[in-house]
Amino acid sequence: MQLEILTPEEMRRVDRAAIAAGALDGYGLMKNAGAAVVDEILARHADAEGFLVLCGPGNNGGDGYVVARLLTERGLSVRVFANAESASGSDAAIALMDCPVKPEPLAAFEASRGWLVVDALFGAGLTRPLEEMEAGIIGKVSSSGLAVVAIDLPSGVCGLTGKPLGAALSADLTVTFFRKKPGHLLVPGRQMCGDLVVADIGIADSALDTVGQALWENQPALWREALPKLRVSAHKYSRGHVAVISGGATSTGAARLAARAAARAGAGAVTVLSPANALSVHAMHLTSIMLRKADTVSELRAFFVDRGPTGTVLGPGAGTGGRTRSFARALLDKANDASGLVFDADALTAFGGMQDVFFGMIRASAGKVVLTPHEGEFVRLFPDLHDGTETSKLQRTREAAVRSGATLVLKGPDTIVAAPDGRAAINVNATPHLATAGSGDVLSGIIASLMAQAMPAFEAACAGVWIHAECGRSLGRGLIAEDLPETLPNVLQELFRENPS
């Protein structure tokens, strides 16, 4: 599976490296790209009455001219629409000369019932809103109801951010080449691509050496080798011990969700650290999960000296006041290289306005720290990292990871995991059924459990996000957060089937 994701600029460097290697020239790559698009079109839309090919002035338009030529050579009806001339001597200009169909002005475009639109106006490299004429064509196509096949990326969608740059098409099928771009996976670009096909056009994988690879699609192949291994000699504490810090008597459920998830995700022991006023509430619900009183920092420290947990969750239902902040300080002060710390929910909100202090403690800590904010919590911690048209979720998460010194999990339908060293992964298996109260608490418990079992922070966060989403996918409609930990054994069994230990 191809996990690498390339920015548009990185893809341009890969193209140049492939051409420099001498196996294919630029026009050769263009002809291969057009042939790949035609193969996908005929596999899915061979019954179309005809094909309306929209061509831009650059290489994307050149791909379109190749598509038009190949469809015409098969005896199919084709009309080509273009406004701007391709640069003289360019690969796109050569493709235009080889195309037997004379382009008509874009203004002449008209929807023909039963025909298919091939969008070759602009690809992933677009950085500006479309001109008025092009935007008008996008509107005509969108209102026509015709099926659309986009080459590289639907026109008007930014390949770096996945956001529309003004008017933008939504495609039924998008065919891109060599590797995916961020815009294929980030919302809303992911939905606007429709079905996505990554075609082989003759670029060798070795061309990736020209870019410093640091962005991947979050799939098991990315972190499978780092999954916890079970030894014959294993005992409950060698499998990791997770502490989950609870809030008061009226807000205990979130901590129990995290604790049960940590246990189901493989931790050999899990302890809920509870204020005295919530002990009886927890005691009525916990069986295999242990319980201990922790009202003060001294009691927290005593537990760590006594039991030495290797993973901790602070935040779910913990409250946003001084107790949570003082516990965070104590955890970071006592963390060692083997310690996994997950801060979520209230622990993040508690440091709103004091984020520099929080980040300073994280950077000074020797622990493996993961922050798991949703968008609202992220804004409170990083108020200057705005979600603007020209910024991507990926850029914001990477910057937040560097600034905080922690692995950042920015949750959502396109959850991003980013490490302070620049590595990042985009998750794609999420389901909207996970948008339910308590779901994030379960995720915190899974990640803490994996870190407690000696998984590195970035890999544990990526694995936790994928596993959590897979639980949601297997449950579907009607799921509530309490269902997720109980689904973990089945998901893990399938995951470990290919990685026995």
Side-chain angles (χ1 to χ4, degrees), residues 262-334:
R264 286 293 195 188
V270 180
T271 301
V272 171
L273 302 179
S274 168
N277 67 0
L279 286 169
S280 60
V281 178
H282 282 303
M284 289 188 290
H285 295 280
L286 300 178
T287 48
S288 60
I289 293 169
M290 296 176 282
L291 182 61
R292 179 152 167 170
K293 177 177 172 292
D295 272 307
T296 65
V297 168
S298 61
E299 289 173 328
L300 175 70
R301 287 176 171 156
F303 170 78
F304 271 71
V305 170
D306 183 26
R307 293 300 180 91
T310 50
T312 304
V313 178
L314 173 62
T320 59
R323 175 177 177 265
T324 296
R325 287 191 292 274
S326 63
F327 274 30
R329 290 188 182 94
L331 292 170
L332 290 165
D333 182 53
K334 293 295 182 183

Side-chain angles (χ1 to χ4, degrees), residues 87-101:
S88 177
S90 67
D91 296 325
I94 298 171
L96 172 57
M97 286 190 295
D98 286 348
C99 181
V101 184

Side-chain angles (χ1 to χ4, degrees), residues 71-425:
L71 291 173
T72 301
E73 289 173 356
R74 286 164 171 78
L76 300 168
S77 298
V78 178
R79 294 177 69 186
V80 175
F81 301 89
N83 263 8
E85 288 284 335
S86 301
S88 177
S90 67
D91 296 325
I94 298 171
L96 172 57
M97 286 190 295
D98 286 348
C99 181
V101 184
K102 182 180 179 181
E104 304 173 54
L106 277 178
F109 172 84
E110 56 184 2
S112 301
R113 184 180 179 86
W115 286 47
L116 175 80
V117 176
V118 179
D119 170 24
L121 284 172
F122 299 98
L126 185 70
T127 58
R128 59 169 178 81
L130 301 183
E131 300 290 342
E132 184 177 353
M133 171 60 72
E134 298 151 346
I137 297 302
I138 296 295
K140 284 185 179 181
V141 174
S142 299
S143 62
S144 71
L146 298 182
V148 176
V149 174
I151 298 179
D152 195 24
L153 196 71
S155 291
V157 177
C158 177
L160 190 61
T161 69
K163 297 175 182 178
L165 295 166
L169 269 178
S170 288
D172 299 276
L173 168 68
T174 297
V175 183
T176 194
F177 314 110
F178 187 62
R179 293 295 189 272
K180 297 173 185 175
K181 320 303 183 297
H184 292 125
L185 301 179
L186 295 171
V187 173
R190 190 161 81 204
Q191 297 103 308
M192 299 177 78
C193 286
D195 294 336
L196 179 64
V197 172
V198 181
D200 177 4
I201 59 172
I203 299 176
D205 288 345
S206 58
L208 284 169
D209 295 340
T210 61
V211 299
Q213 190 55 48
L215 177 61
W216 300 271
E217 183 174 333
N218 187 27
Q219 296 286 355
L222 180 62
W223 36 262
R224 188 186 298 279
E225 291 305 312
L227 285 170
K229 308 294 192 297
L230 276 179
R231 309 298 179 191
V232 173
S233 59
H235 55 83
K236 64 183 178 182
Y237 291 114
S238 70
R239 294 183 61 187
H241 184 180
V242 175
V244 180
I245 298 170
S246 171
T250 59
S251 55
T252 60
R256 286 196 300 276
L257 283 171
R260 192 158 185 85
R264 286 293 195 188
V270 180
T271 301
V272 171
L273 302 179
S274 168
N277 67 0
L279 286 169
S280 60
V281 178
H282 282 303
M284 289 188 290
H285 295 280
L286 300 178
T287 48
S288 60
I289 293 169
M290 296 176 282
L291 182 61
R292 179 152 167 170
K293 177 177 172 292
D295 272 307
T296 65
V297 168
S298 61
E299 289 173 328
L300 175 70
R301 287 176 171 156
F303 170 78
F304 271 71
V305 170
D306 183 26
R307 293 300 180 91
T310 50
T312 304
V313 178
L314 173 62
T320 59
R323 175 177 177 265
T324 296
R325 287 191 292 274
S326 63
F327 274 30
R329 290 188 182 94
L331 292 170
L332 290 165
D333 182 53
K334 293 295 182 183
N336 57 53
D337 289 334
S339 242
L341 303 175
V342 179
F343 295 107
D344 183 29
D346 288 350
L348 305 178
T349 301
F351 282 95
M354 295 181 286
Q355 52 266 45
D356 289 344
V357 173
F358 187 36
F359 300 156
M361 292 189 297
I362 291 172
R363 290 192 296 269
S365 169
K368 302 176 292 187
V369 181
V370 176
L371 310 181
T372 60
H374 57 56
E375 187 63 42
E377 292 158 346
F378 184 92
V379 170
R380 285 191 284 274
L381 280 178
F382 307 96
D384 60 318
L385 296 181
H386 302 295
D387 184 17
T389 303
E390 297 180 358
T391 59
S392 74
K393 186 174 183 178
L394 173 63
Q395 293 167 301
R396 296 166 65 225
T397 310
R398 275 178 156 162
E399 172 60 29
V402 171
R403 190 179 299 182
S404 67
T407 294
L408 242 295
V409 178
L410 181 49
K411 297 181 288 193
D414 50 359
T415 293
I416 306 289
V417 181
D421 61 11
R423 290 176 297 160

